[in-house]
Amino acid sequence: MEKTATDDYLKGLNDVQYKAVTQVKGPVLVVAGPGSGKTRVLTYRIAHIIKTGVAPYNILTLTFTNKAAKEMKERISKVVGKVAGQVWAGTFHSIFSRILRNEADKIGYSNNFTIYDTDDSKSLVNAIIKEMNLDKDIYKTNAIRNRISACKSNLVSPTAYKNIPSNLADDKRSRIPYFHVIYERYVLRCKRSDAMDFDDLLFQMYVLLHRHEDIKKKYQERFKYVLVDEFQDTNFLQYEIIKKLVVYPNSENNICAVGDDAQSIYGFRGATIENILNFEKDFKGIQVFKLEQNYRSTEHIVQAANEVISVNKNQIKKSIWASKGDGEKIRLIKTLTDNEEGKRVIDSILEQKNRNHLANSDIAILYRTNSQSRVFEDYLRRYNVPYKVFGGLSFYQRKEVKDILAYFRITINHNDDEALKRTINLPKRAIGKTTVDKVIAVANKNNEPLWNCLLKAQIPKRAYNNISSYQELIKMFGKRLEKLNAYELANVIIKESGLYKMFKGDTTVEGVTRQENVNALLDGISEFVADNEGGLEGSTGLAAFMASVALHTSADEKIDDNNYVTLMSVHSAKGLEFKSVFVVGMEENLFPSFMSTDTPEGIDEERRLFYVAITRAEQFLTLTYSNGRYKFGSMRYNSPSRFLTEIGEKHYDTLIVPKKQASFSKSGAQTSGVSGNFKKSVKASNFKVDSATFVASPITAIQVGKEVLHLSFGKGVVKNIDGGASNKIATIFFEGLDVPNKRIMLKFAKLQVVN
């Protein structure tokens, strides 16, 4: 398609962007390097589809943050006007939640079902473990919840799980033989409460499309064009749902996937890089457009990123190039301790502010783990530099906010067990734990929601009267759901529940902060009502507000315009950009993380994470590492990160660069040291472990004298085990290594006992 004078919105596109925007028919893959104008291509593509005569409501755009969806709609509206609001644009969870509410009766839910957040899910798992009298040190709540999440993400129901003998055998070896029972009870309890967790929004969406051919056809006809942003971050289940919507007889396969395999960094959440790598195999006749011009960063930064990512074997080949000139070389800072690292970084920030006239908001410190922020915070405070740490507690996760939201939830859905447990004695109504436990016992026996059993348990008269009053209060709130908007009803609930009086009565500093948070919540609800666009189909009711809040993520938190230095993990920084970026803690076992060095896939993902980190920088990039770092109360010594040696020396502004005297085995294990006179080379073991048959044994199976296998070090013998109960360290002799005795912390180790 040729450019025309009337297509003003197409004028600013480069040739590849233009082709990606205007090729609207058939399957399209847009491989978008960092800073290459991905969002512009995606939004203009949607606008162009509308311009060709397609109705906006026939377009589905799936994103990973609500903020991205909102920004897209705003940009599209500048081209096509208000009709942009009719485009189905939102996160996977928000779009699927909307569809599920419309079709809830088909899968046995009400359209006011509750969405459980992480805390709700943990609370429910914990309650089930307690009811079953299981050892909480073995059946760890987080681990069990994550296992349930993994099952759902791979379309494994409780019934399917227990019908696979290898699953039960693995659980027995891992000392959690009752996992399948917990999983089954968890699903039944959610259904009883008319609740879905985040994974259910995907799982139940698949079930809806899989079991109901008429519903599937309805949405296939509705969504004639499907676009997916950040496609490299999709998991198995998300992709299966996408294919249900796009792949059918006589389909034009009008799907556009936009993403960058080099920025796939969420494997720990279940993201599957194979989705983007295999996209061409799934859709024949696909057209691929590679956005390789980087508008964000200077040449040294871009070429350093290219050199790093080129080490990964499994990738879509592309060559990113910069259009902003060479720019400054990369600065490399070596320190003796992490404390010195903190001081040197803040000194460099002050220097950049003075020499290059940077504002605090132009600068970011990125680290691999959130625990690294402390030392930088110490020095920023000492030098009186304003800063903000991201990745902490979300506004909607604060206790006082969650307490109020629990009242909103029980008002909307009386069957919500977790909301009921949180609100029944808040403020205190003399309804004690013993009374609540009796109600829970009756509910479990009858397999009914707690709400139905509140007055069925054998409880003292005073508690009975108090429970009766609580129930009448919630019923009264419920009757006003259809009469009042979200802001009006929120005020009623907060005041008449007694929460307002409780918060007002706390005059401590913490209490005043809680009151401010309550007011901020009410302001947000007022804004929601005024906007009349955040809820389901424009509703201003409390149910619509709660539907939007339940799908709120940390990535949607507002970043204000205050002038502060940003501190965050690299994972949190994805999608952001800063004039100056400091990537700190560039050491082996920290970045790359020691938890990822056992497999080539793990190292590849760590390298992609580093690629994301350095491509956040526009003009100035500083990499730092320390010879020594305090961990678990003692000084630990690490080599410089292997990633530092993958950047050519010509891109550094110093001659003191770690030398690549090493190569790394297929598993990612270091076979000779990365150094600049740091460490002696280390020979790898000749014994190779087959990763396909490797199964890690439980910690309790690791005993002195046992032969064990390690993916990187090969076969070894346990010589000694020391340390506390939760921090046991094994000394293991691995024959064939230059340094054969390795000390490995068992709670992080992956070892297989040889039978």
Side-chain angles (χ1 to χ4, degrees), residues 213-264:
E213 193 66 28
D214 57 330
I215 301 297
K216 181 174 73 171
K217 188 175 180 182
K218 170 183 173 182
Y219 288 101
Q220 286 172 341
E221 292 176 352
R222 168 72 60 84
F223 303 132
K224 298 184 187 302
Y225 291 82
V226 176
L227 301 94
V228 187
D229 190 18
E230 303 288 5
F231 188 71
Q232 76 281 349
D233 293 335
T234 55
N235 63 22
F236 167 77
L237 182 49
Q238 286 165 327
Y239 193 26
E240 288 303 305
I241 296 170
I242 291 166
K243 286 190 280 192
K244 286 270 185 197
L245 293 171
V246 174
V247 181
Y248 53 91
N250 302 318
S251 169
E252 293 183 315
N253 288 338
N254 292 327
I255 180 171
C256 175
V258 181
D260 182 7
D261 59 296
Q263 297 185 65
S264 178

Coordinates of all heavy atoms in Angstrom, one line a residue, residues 213-264:
E213 N -19.5 -24.4 22.0 CA -19.2 -24.1 20.6 C -19.9 -22.8 20.2 O -19.3 -22.0 19.4 CB -19.6 -25.2 19.7 CG -19.1 -25.2 18.3 CD -17.6 -25.3 18.2 OE1 -17.0 -26.0 19.1 OE2 -17.0 -24.7 17.3
D214 N -21.1 -22.6 20.7 CA -21.9 -21.4 20.3 C -21.2 -20.1 20.8 O -21.1 -19.1 20.1 CB -23.3 -21.5 20.8 CG -23.4 -21.7 22.3 OD1 -22.5 -22.3 22.9 OD2 -24.4 -21.2 22.9
I215 N -20.7 -20.2 22.0 CA -20.0 -19.0 22.6 C -18.7 -18.8 21.9 O -18.3 -17.6 21.6 CB -19.7 -19.3 24.1 CG1 -21.0 -19.5 24.9 CG2 -18.9 -18.1 24.7 CD1 -22.0 -18.4 24.9
K216 N -18.0 -19.8 21.6 CA -16.7 -19.7 20.9 C -16.9 -19.0 19.5 O -16.2 -18.1 19.1 CB -16.0 -21.0 20.7 CG -14.7 -21.0 19.9 CD -14.0 -22.3 19.9 CE -14.6 -23.2 18.9 NZ -13.8 -24.5 18.7
K217 N -18.0 -19.5 18.8 CA -18.3 -18.9 17.5 C -18.7 -17.4 17.6 O -18.3 -16.6 16.8 CB -19.4 -19.7 16.9 CG -19.7 -19.3 15.4 CD -20.7 -20.2 14.8 CE -21.0 -19.8 13.3 NZ -22.0 -20.7 12.7
K218 N -19.4 -17.1 18.7 CA -19.9 -15.8 18.9 C -18.7 -14.8 19.0 O -18.7 -13.7 18.4 CB -20.7 -15.7 20.2 CG -21.0 -14.3 20.7 CD -21.8 -14.4 22.1 CE -22.0 -13.1 22.7 NZ -22.7 -13.2 24.0
Y219 N -17.6 -15.2 19.8 CA -16.5 -14.3 19.9 C -15.5 -14.4 18.8 O -14.8 -13.4 18.5 CB -15.8 -14.6 21.3 CG -16.7 -14.1 22.4 CD1 -17.5 -14.9 23.2 CD2 -16.7 -12.7 22.7 CE1 -18.3 -14.5 24.2 CE2 -17.6 -12.2 23.7 CZ -18.3 -13.1 24.4 OH -19.2 -12.6 25.4
Q220 N -15.5 -15.5 18.0 CA -14.7 -15.6 16.8 C -15.3 -14.6 15.8 O -14.5 -13.9 15.1 CB -14.8 -17.0 16.2 CG -13.9 -18.0 17.0 CD -14.1 -19.4 16.5 OE1 -15.1 -19.7 15.8 NE2 -13.2 -20.3 16.8
E221 N -16.6 -14.5 15.7 CA -17.3 -13.5 14.8 C -17.1 -12.1 15.3 O -17.0 -11.2 14.5 CB -18.7 -13.9 14.6 CG -18.9 -15.2 13.9 CD -20.4 -15.6 13.8 OE1 -21.2 -15.0 14.5 OE2 -20.7 -16.6 13.1
R222 N -17.1 -11.9 16.6 CA -16.9 -10.6 17.2 C -15.5 -10.0 16.9 O -15.4 -8.9 16.5 CB -17.2 -10.6 18.7 CG -16.8 -9.4 19.5 CD -17.7 -8.2 19.2 NE -19.1 -8.5 19.6 CZ -19.6 -8.4 20.9 NH1 -18.8 -8.0 21.8 NH2 -20.8 -8.7 21.1
F223 N -14.5 -10.9 17.2 CA -13.1 -10.4 17.1 C -12.5 -10.8 15.7 O -11.9 -11.8 15.6 CB -12.3 -10.9 18.2 CG -12.9 -10.6 19.6 CD1 -13.0 -11.6 20.6 CD2 -13.2 -9.3 19.9 CE1 -13.5 -11.2 21.8 CE2 -13.8 -9.0 21.1 CZ -13.9 -9.9 22.1
K224 N -12.8 -10.0 14.7 CA -12.3 -10.3 13.4 C -10.8 -10.0 13.3 O -10.1 -10.5 12.4 CB -13.1 -9.5 12.3 CG -14.6 -9.8 12.3 CD -15.3 -9.0 11.2 CE -16.8 -9.2 11.3 NZ -17.2 -10.6 11.2
Y225 N -10.3 -9.1 14.1 CA -8.9 -8.8 14.2 C -8.4 -8.9 15.6 O -9.0 -8.3 16.5 CB -8.6 -7.4 13.6 CG -8.9 -7.2 12.2 CD1 -10.2 -7.0 11.7 CD2 -7.9 -7.3 11.2 CE1 -10.4 -6.9 10.3 CE2 -8.1 -7.2 9.9 CZ -9.4 -7.0 9.4 OH -9.6 -6.9 8.1
V226 N -7.3 -9.6 15.8 CA -6.7 -9.8 17.1 C -5.3 -9.4 17.1 O -4.5 -9.7 16.3 CB -6.8 -11.3 17.6 CG1 -6.1 -11.5 18.9 CG2 -8.2 -11.8 17.6
L227 N -5.0 -8.5 18.1 CA -3.6 -8.0 18.2 C -3.1 -8.3 19.6 O -3.9 -8.1 20.6 CB -3.5 -6.5 17.9 CG -4.0 -6.0 16.6 CD1 -5.5 -5.6 16.6 CD2 -3.2 -4.8 16.1
V228 N -1.9 -8.7 19.7 CA -1.3 -9.1 21.1 C 0.0 -8.3 21.3 O 0.9 -8.5 20.5 CB -1.1 -10.6 21.2 CG1 -0.6 -10.9 22.6 CG2 -2.3 -11.4 20.8
D229 N 0.0 -7.5 22.3 CA 1.2 -6.8 22.7 C 2.1 -7.6 23.6 O 1.6 -8.5 24.3 CB 0.8 -5.5 23.4 CG 2.0 -4.5 23.5 OD1 3.0 -4.7 22.9 OD2 1.9 -3.6 24.4
E230 N 3.4 -7.4 23.5 CA 4.4 -8.1 24.4 C 4.2 -9.6 24.3 O 4.1 -10.4 25.3 CB 4.2 -7.7 25.9 CG 4.4 -6.2 26.1 CD 5.9 -5.7 25.9 OE1 6.7 -6.5 25.6 OE2 6.2 -4.5 26.2
F231 N 4.1 -10.1 23.0 CA 3.7 -11.5 22.8 C 4.7 -12.5 23.4 O 4.4 -13.6 23.8 CB 3.6 -11.7 21.3 CG 3.1 -13.1 20.9 CD1 1.7 -13.4 21.1 CD2 3.9 -14.1 20.4 CE1 1.2 -14.6 20.8 CE2 3.4 -15.3 20.0 CZ 2.0 -15.6 20.2
Q232 N 6.0 -12.0 23.6 CA 7.0 -12.9 24.2 C 6.7 -13.2 25.6 O 7.2 -14.2 26.2 CB 8.4 -12.3 24.1 CG 8.7 -11.2 25.1 CD 8.1 -9.8 24.7 OE1 7.6 -9.7 23.6 NE2 8.1 -8.9 25.6
D233 N 5.8 -12.5 26.3 CA 5.4 -12.7 27.7 C 4.2 -13.6 27.9 O 3.8 -13.9 29.0 CB 5.2 -11.4 28.4 CG 6.5 -10.5 28.5 OD1 7.6 -11.1 28.4 OD2 6.4 -9.3 28.6
T234 N 3.6 -14.1 26.8 CA 2.4 -14.9 26.9 C 2.8 -16.3 27.4 O 3.9 -16.8 27.1 CB 1.7 -15.1 25.6 OG1 2.6 -15.6 24.6 CG2 1.1 -13.8 25.1
N235 N 1.9 -17.0 28.1 CA 2.2 -18.3 28.6 C 1.4 -19.3 27.7 O 0.7 -18.9 26.8 CB 1.8 -18.5 30.1 CG 0.3 -18.3 30.4 OD1 -0.5 -18.4 29.5 ND2 0.1 -18.0 31.6
F236 N 1.5 -20.6 28.0 CA 0.9 -21.6 27.2 C -0.6 -21.4 27.1 O -1.2 -21.5 26.0 CB 1.2 -23.0 27.9 CG 0.4 -24.1 27.4 CD1 0.6 -24.7 26.1 CD2 -0.7 -24.6 28.1 CE1 -0.1 -25.8 25.7 CE2 -1.5 -25.7 27.6 CZ -1.2 -26.2 26.4
L237 N -1.3 -21.1 28.2 CA -2.7 -21.0 28.3 C -3.2 -19.8 27.5 O -4.2 -19.9 26.8 CB -3.2 -21.0 29.7 CG -4.7 -20.9 30.0 CD1 -5.4 -22.0 29.2 CD2 -5.0 -21.1 31.5
Q238 N -2.5 -18.7 27.7 CA -2.9 -17.5 26.9 C -2.9 -17.7 25.4 O -3.8 -17.3 24.7 CB -2.0 -16.3 27.3 CG -2.3 -15.8 28.7 CD -1.2 -14.9 29.2 OE1 0.0 -15.1 28.9 NE2 -1.5 -13.9 30.1
Y239 N -1.8 -18.4 25.0 CA -1.7 -18.6 23.5 C -2.8 -19.6 23.1 O -3.3 -19.5 22.0 CB -0.3 -19.2 23.2 CG 0.1 -19.2 21.8 CD1 -0.5 -18.3 20.9 CD2 1.0 -20.1 21.3 CE1 -0.2 -18.4 19.5 CE2 1.4 -20.1 20.0 CZ 0.8 -19.3 19.1 OH 1.1 -19.3 17.7
E240 N -3.1 -20.6 23.9 CA -4.2 -21.5 23.5 C -5.5 -20.8 23.3 O -6.3 -21.1 22.4 CB -4.3 -22.7 24.6 CG -3.1 -23.7 24.5 CD -3.0 -24.3 23.2 OE1 -3.9 -24.9 22.7 OE2 -1.8 -24.3 22.6
I241 N -5.8 -19.9 24.2 CA -7.0 -19.1 24.1 C -7.0 -18.3 22.8 O -8.0 -18.2 22.1 CB -7.2 -18.2 25.4 CG1 -7.4 -19.1 26.6 CG2 -8.4 -17.3 25.2 CD1 -7.4 -18.3 27.9
I242 N -5.9 -17.6 22.6 CA -5.8 -16.8 21.3 C -6.1 -17.7 20.1 O -6.8 -17.3 19.2 CB -4.3 -16.2 21.2 CG1 -4.2 -15.1 22.3 CG2 -4.1 -15.6 19.9 CD1 -2.7 -14.7 22.5
K243 N -5.5 -18.9 20.1 CA -5.7 -19.7 18.9 C -7.2 -20.2 18.8 O -7.7 -20.3 17.7 CB -4.8 -20.9 19.0 CG -3.3 -20.6 18.7 CD -2.4 -21.8 18.5 CE -2.0 -22.4 19.8 NZ -0.9 -23.4 19.7
K244 N -7.8 -20.4 20.0 CA -9.3 -20.7 19.9 C -10.1 -19.6 19.2 O -11.1 -19.8 18.5 CB -9.8 -20.8 21.4 CG -9.4 -22.1 22.1 CD -10.4 -23.2 21.8 CE -10.0 -24.5 22.6 NZ -10.8 -25.7 22.1
L245 N -9.7 -18.3 19.5 CA -10.4 -17.2 18.9 C -10.0 -16.9 17.4 O -10.9 -16.4 16.7 CB -10.1 -15.9 19.7 CG -10.6 -15.9 21.1 CD1 -10.0 -14.7 21.9 CD2 -12.1 -15.9 21.1
V246 N -8.8 -17.3 17.0 CA -8.3 -17.0 15.7 C -8.4 -18.1 14.7 O -8.7 -17.9 13.5 CB -6.9 -16.5 15.8 CG1 -6.3 -16.2 14.4 CG2 -6.8 -15.2 16.6
V247 N -8.1 -19.4 15.2 CA -8.0 -20.5 14.2 C -9.3 -21.3 14.2 O -9.8 -21.9 15.2 CB -6.9 -21.4 14.7 CG1 -6.7 -22.6 13.7 CG2 -5.6 -20.7 14.8
Y248 N -10.0 -21.2 13.0 CA -11.2 -22.0 12.8 C -11.4 -22.1 11.3 O -10.7 -21.3 10.5 CB -12.4 -21.3 13.5 CG -12.6 -19.8 13.1 CD1 -13.4 -19.4 12.0 CD2 -12.0 -18.8 13.9 CE1 -13.6 -18.1 11.7 CE2 -12.1 -17.5 13.6 CZ -12.9 -17.1 12.5 OH -13.1 -15.8 12.2
P249 N -12.3 -22.9 10.8 CA -12.5 -23.1 9.3 C -12.8 -21.8 8.7 O -13.6 -21.0 9.1 CB -13.7 -24.1 9.3 CG -13.6 -24.9 10.5 CD -13.1 -23.9 11.6
N250 N -12.1 -21.5 7.5 CA -12.3 -20.3 6.7 C -11.9 -19.0 7.4 O -12.3 -17.9 7.0 CB -13.8 -20.2 6.2 CG -14.2 -21.4 5.5 OD1 -13.5 -21.9 4.6 ND2 -15.4 -21.9 5.7
S251 N -11.2 -19.2 8.5 CA -10.7 -17.9 9.2 C -9.6 -17.3 8.3 O -8.8 -17.9 7.7 CB -10.1 -18.3 10.5 OG -9.4 -17.2 11.1
E252 N -9.6 -15.9 8.3 CA -8.5 -15.2 7.6 C -7.3 -15.1 8.5 O -6.3 -14.6 8.0 CB -9.0 -13.8 7.3 CG -10.1 -13.7 6.3 CD -10.5 -12.3 5.9 OE1 -10.7 -11.5 6.9 OE2 -10.7 -12.0 4.7
N253 N -7.3 -15.6 9.7 CA -6.2 -15.6 10.6 C -5.6 -14.2 10.7 O -4.4 -13.9 10.6 CB -5.1 -16.5 10.2 CG -5.5 -18.0 10.4 OD1 -6.3 -18.3 11.2 ND2 -4.8 -18.9 9.6
N254 N -6.5 -13.2 11.0 CA -6.1 -11.8 11.1 C -5.5 -11.6 12.5 O -6.2 -11.0 13.4 CB -7.3 -10.9 10.9 CG -7.7 -10.9 9.4 OD1 -6.9 -11.1 8.5 ND2 -9.0 -10.7 9.2
I255 N -4.4 -12.1 12.8 CA -3.7 -11.9 14.1 C -2.4 -11.2 13.9 O -1.6 -11.5 12.9 CB -3.5 -13.3 14.8 CG1 -2.8 -13.1 16.1 CG2 -2.7 -14.3 13.9 CD1 -2.7 -14.3 17.0
C256 N -2.1 -10.3 14.8 CA -0.8 -9.6 14.8 C -0.2 -9.7 16.1 O -0.8 -9.2 17.1 CB -1.1 -8.1 14.4 SG 0.4 -7.1 14.5
A257 N 1.0 -10.3 16.2 CA 1.7 -10.5 17.4 C 2.9 -9.5 17.4 O 3.6 -9.5 16.4 CB 2.2 -11.9 17.6
V258 N 3.0 -8.7 18.4 CA 4.0 -7.7 18.5 C 4.9 -8.0 19.8 O 4.3 -8.2 20.9 CB 3.5 -6.3 18.6 CG1 4.6 -5.3 18.7 CG2 2.5 -6.0 17.5
G259 N 6.2 -8.2 19.6 CA 7.0 -8.5 20.7 C 8.5 -8.6 20.4 O 8.9 -8.4 19.2
D260 N 9.3 -9.0 21.3 CA 10.7 -9.1 21.1 C 11.2 -10.3 22.0 O 11.2 -10.3 23.2 CB 11.4 -7.9 21.6 CG 12.9 -7.9 21.4 OD1 13.4 -8.9 20.8 OD2 13.6 -7.0 21.8
D261 N 11.6 -11.4 21.3 CA 12.1 -12.6 22.0 C 13.2 -12.2 22.9 O 13.4 -12.9 24.0 CB 12.5 -13.7 21.0 CG 13.6 -13.2 20.1 OD1 13.3 -12.3 19.3 OD2 14.7 -13.8 20.1
A262 N 14.0 -11.2 22.6 CA 15.2 -10.8 23.4 C 14.8 -10.2 24.7 O 15.6 -10.0 25.6 CB 16.1 -9.9 22.6
Q263 N 13.5 -9.8 24.8 CA 13.0 -9.2 26.1 C 12.1 -10.2 26.8 O 11.2 -9.7 27.6 CB 12.4 -7.9 25.8 CG 13.3 -6.9 25.2 CD 12.7 -5.5 25.0 OE1 12.3 -4.8 26.0 NE2 12.6 -5.1 23.8
S264 N 12.2 -11.5 26.6 CA 11.3 -12.4 27.3 C 12.0 -12.7 28.6 O 13.0 -13.5 28.7 CB 11.2 -13.7 26.5 OG 10.4 -14.7 27.2

